[in-house]
Amino acid sequence: MKDPRVRQFAEVLVNYSARVQPGDVVLISCAGLEGAPLVKELYALCLEKGAKYVEYEFSIPDIGRYFYNLANPDQLSYFPQHKLDFMKQVDVYFGLSAADNSMVMAQANQKSMIAWSKVVRPIIDQRVKGTRWVVTRYPTHGAAQEARMSLDEYEDYLFAACCMDWEEESKKQDALKACVDAADRVRIKASDTDLSFSINGLPGIKCDGRLNIPDGEVFTAPVRDSVEGYITYNCPTVYQGKEFNNIRLEFEKGRIVKATSPGMDAELNRILDTDEGARYVGEFAIGVNPKIRVPMRNILFDEKIFGSIHFTPGQAYDECDNGNRSAVHWDMVKILAGDGELWFDDILIQKDGRFVHGPLLGLNPGD
């Protein structure tokens, strides 16, 4: 029996997020075969909306692992020009993940993964800059297990966080964007965290269901060389197939000068040494999705946790460009709920994960 929420989810993605129009060229890319029900609904809806061409593709991460482990230098350096050529024709891109095992790349060759990420960067840049793109997740047993939930519980959680009134959420984010736009200095104080930096001249960008689903954050970027202090993240993060916990970063003049994660120091620093920009921060964001409250080991959800911030080593976004360039963009999440203060200049914006500044009170969940 079809779950009607899949159709509702597809309608959010097609009608609101990507705004599919007659004549569009659409690419639906799904990692994992379990996402087929959502691919089918997206495909049908795009045709109904008048897209002139809709292509879909499936990749299987467990097969992709062979590439990283077996590819020789010539294979790793080969640029798939045909993929870039097609991406230049694409108007709308849907990126779905329906992985049944988040650890599939845990033992893959990390050097090859880093090398390949640099090679295909032009394709990703074209997708980000040249298409109306949106990325999301489809519920699987593997993802539910990572989230410490049953599949039924995970489906309820995912669909609630994704199938929201995004137009209303967008209006609520206006006040937070205004505060970000007006601020000069930011300070974050919490357990083993005392971080300060400037966001002067860098705009607040609303994330209101257009590019990521689930969505729900307002982001900006620090002035590249302004970051001082230290932060310890309290959400697990999976990057390049490996799980990291309790990452602690120390900053001087914007640069990460010390990085630790219990039992994973070498792997962490290897990623941060990918290029010069990987040791600088390209994004600072505040999570505001009222339906996402606990970590799920899935960054698309965890970075939106209400009462959290993420502070991201690596590439800056074009919409808020502090000049940092990197093949890395690693969203690391700190939950402030129960333990933390967020200050803009001399104004306490948030305490213990809830907004306390008058114009922002409407963002707080009703609970």
Side-chain angles (χ1 to χ4, degrees):
M1 179 182 295
K2 284 187 176 182
D3 186 335
R5 295 175 299 182
V6 177
R7 174 76 179 195
Q8 182 185 1
F9 191 10
E11 288 173 345
V12 170
L13 296 170
V14 170
N15 297 329
Y16 177 81
S17 300
R19 307 174 302 287
V20 174
Q21 304 294 324
D24 279 341
V25 173
V26 178
L27 174 59
I28 305 168
S29 180
C30 185
L33 298 178
E34 290 186 59
L38 182 55
V39 172
K40 289 167 63 177
E41 296 291 353
L42 289 172
Y43 186 82
L45 276 170
C46 288
L47 292 176
E48 292 170 15
K49 295 289 286 187
K52 69 180 178 184
Y53 179 71
V54 184
E55 180 161 313
Y56 63 92
E57 62 182 17
F58 287 89
S59 60
I60 301 174
D62 202 45
I63 295 177
R65 179 172 57 87
Y66 282 89
F67 175 75
Y68 297 121
N69 289 339
L70 299 177
N72 61 41
D74 286 342
Q75 292 164 332
L76 279 171
S77 63
Y78 175 77
F79 180 71
Q81 184 66 42
H82 64 288
K83 288 185 174 290
L84 179 59
D85 292 342
F86 179 58
M87 192 63 77
K88 289 179 178 179
Q89 301 177 54
V90 171
D91 300 298
V92 172
Y93 173 90
F94 296 101
L96 282 57
S97 176
D100 57 4
N101 179 5
S102 66
M103 295 289 110
V104 68
M105 296 297 178
Q107 301 303 318
N109 187 310
Q110 192 175 50
K111 290 182 179 179
S112 294
M113 294 174 72
I114 292 172
W116 185 245
S117 70
K118 294 178 180 179
V119 169
V120 299
R121 187 77 209 183
I123 302 171
I124 297 171
D125 287 344
Q126 176 62 35
R127 188 262 292 176
V128 171
K129 298 174 183 179
T131 74
R132 301 194 303 278
W133 59 271
V134 57
V135 297
T136 191
R137 300 291 185 269
Y138 186 78
T140 65
H141 281 286
Q145 186 174 23
E146 285 296 312
R148 308 295 192 262
M149 298 178 182
S150 70
L151 181 58
D152 286 346
E153 291 167 340
Y154 183 74
E155 288 174 340
D156 290 344
Y157 196 85
L158 181 146
F159 289 126
C162 295
C163 300
M164 299 171 60
D165 184 344
W166 287 107
E167 291 184 357
E168 179 63 25
E169 290 300 313
S170 180
K171 293 176 184 176
K172 291 180 181 179
Q173 291 181 17
D174 285 336
L176 181 53
K177 171 180 164 49
C179 287
V180 171
D181 289 342
D184 176 7
R185 301 292 306 181
V186 176
R187 188 173 185 186
I188 304 167
K189 298 174 65 178
S191 57
D192 199 23
T193 296
D194 193 346
L195 200 65
S196 64
F197 50 92
S198 173
I199 56 173
N200 186 40
L202 291 155
I205 307 296
K206 297 193 303 179
C207 295
D208 51 3
R210 296 295 189 190
L211 305 179
N212 291 322
I213 292 287
D215 216 344
E217 65 176 86
V218 173
F219 78 87
T220 183
V223 174
R224 188 174 184 269
D225 299 328
S226 71
V227 185
E228 299 285 346
Y230 54 92
I231 182 170
T232 298
Y233 300 90
N234 54 11
C235 278
T237 175
V238 178
Y239 196 82
Q240 294 182 349
K242 292 182 170 61
E243 182 174 325
F244 298 79
N245 289 277
N246 298 311
I247 291 176
R248 188 180 194 274
L249 305 179
E250 297 182 14
F251 293 85
E252 293 180 5
K253 296 181 179 179
R255 189 175 189 274
I256 299 169
V257 295
K258 185 176 181 181
T260 60
S261 177
M264 299 291 283
D265 287 1
E267 289 83 353
L268 171 62
N269 282 278
R270 191 175 296 118
I271 295 170
L272 295 177
D273 288 334
T274 297
D275 49 41
E276 178 63 18
R279 285 191 176 265
Y280 289 83
V281 171
E283 180 190 4
F284 161 63
I286 303 166
V288 294
N289 189 310
K291 301 296 185 181
I292 304 178
R293 310 298 286 274
V294 296
M296 299 175 65
R297 288 178 171 77
N298 185 320
I299 192 57
L300 195 60
F301 286 79
D302 293 352
E303 67 177 359
K304 315 303 188 332
I305 292 172
F306 189 91
S308 75
I309 60 94
H310 53 278
F311 202 61
T312 304
Q315 178 76 12
Y317 286 119
D318 285 350
E319 302 95 320
C320 185
D321 190 357
N322 70 350
N324 201 41
R325 297 291 177 268
S326 177
V328 171
H329 182 92
W330 190 351
D331 293 310
M332 300 178 183
V333 178
K334 172 84 170 181
I335 297 176
L336 300 177
D339 173 33
E341 295 179 352
L342 176 61
W343 292 79
F344 286 179
D345 299 319
D346 60 349
I347 299 173
L348 180 62
I349 296 294
Q350 195 181 79
K351 183 174 178 61
D352 297 337
R354 290 186 69 86
F355 291 105
V356 295
H357 182 47
L360 304 179
L361 296 179
L363 284 162
N364 287 326
D367 291 335

